[in-house]
Amino acid sequence: NPMAQPARRLAVALHLVVRQRQRTPSAMLCLALHQLGRMYLNAGRYARAQEVLDEVLQLYPRFSLTLREPQGPQWSLIDRGQVARLQGEADLAVACFDESIRLFTASPFPNFAIFSLQFRGEVRCEENDLNAALVDFRRGLRLAREDPDLWDAEMFKCLAGIAEVAYRCGAAAVAGNLYAKAAVMEAK
């Protein structure tokens, strides 16, 4: 696999940066830990991802990474929420997404809350909390409409989420129409 070698090198580099944490903790360490946690998440190594993401979430307050920057704890909370979701911990996942939404809303990047809203909506849908899921997907859709060029893919995901809620509520025709609109949007 040609992609495996660069990914392996990146993982080694990130491990080296993380090893330095005892000697030189910094905001860059937070970013490296976040990326390492994301790599573990993507590799399906959820226990290790949980460990790394929990560590970075404890470190963020110690350094100068602020909500004014596009990267920070709100992104690590999204990944931590995904880990919790995949481990069957819906309440923890929702709590992580709640906090991420709060942080994005307080930042200069409030529209980025769309990512947390989508994931929280998916968890709520999986937990059969369909009204709350619908609220999340609709709120995400409103955020996506504010900047359609930037958020086309996110608009598609929100529409697909609303379609899933409709389907689960027994409105198959409505769900089919929404899925069709989402597919057309995705194809553009």
Side-chain angles (χ1 to χ4, degrees), residues 50 68 82 105 118 131 141 147 150 152 184:
Q50 174 185 334
R68 297 205 169 281
Q82 281 294 83
T105 302
Q118 289 167 4
N131 288 331
L141 194 57
D147 191 349
L150 184 62
D152 277 348
V184 168

Side-chain angles (χ1 to χ4, degrees), residues 6-20 32 36:
R8 201 175 335 262
R9 286 187 192 131
L10 178 59
V12 169
L14 287 172
H15 278 287
L16 291 173
V17 170
V18 169
R19 262 199 216 147
Q20 299 299 316
L36 186 60

Side-chain angles (χ1 to χ4, degrees), residues 61-122:
R62 294 178 47 194
F63 304 107
S64 63
L65 218 53
T66 68
L67 296 179
R68 297 205 169 281
E69 300 178 45
Q71 67 273 23
Q74 54 272 49
W75 294 105
S76 295
L77 282 161
I78 288 174
D79 287 345
R80 182 60 182 96
Q82 281 294 83
V83 170
R85 175 186 179 192
L86 293 165
Q87 291 178 319
E89 300 176 68
D91 290 340
L92 177 58
V94 168
C96 289
F97 298 138
D98 287 347
E99 181 64 5
S100 179
I101 291 165
R102 188 189 71 73
L103 292 175
F104 276 127
T105 302
S107 81
F109 309 97
N111 287 355
F112 285 12
I114 190 171
F115 300 103
S116 309
L117 286 163
Q118 289 167 4
F119 288 128
R120 188 174 71 180
E122 290 171 6

Side-chain angles (χ1 to χ4, degrees), residues 111 114-115 118 137 140-141 144 150-160 185:
N111 287 355
I114 190 171
F115 300 103
Q118 289 167 4
F137 293 132
L141 194 57
L150 184 62
W151 302 110
D152 277 348
E154 306 327 309
M155 192 176 291
F156 155 74
K157 292 174 189 171
C158 289
L159 213 61
M185 288 175 64

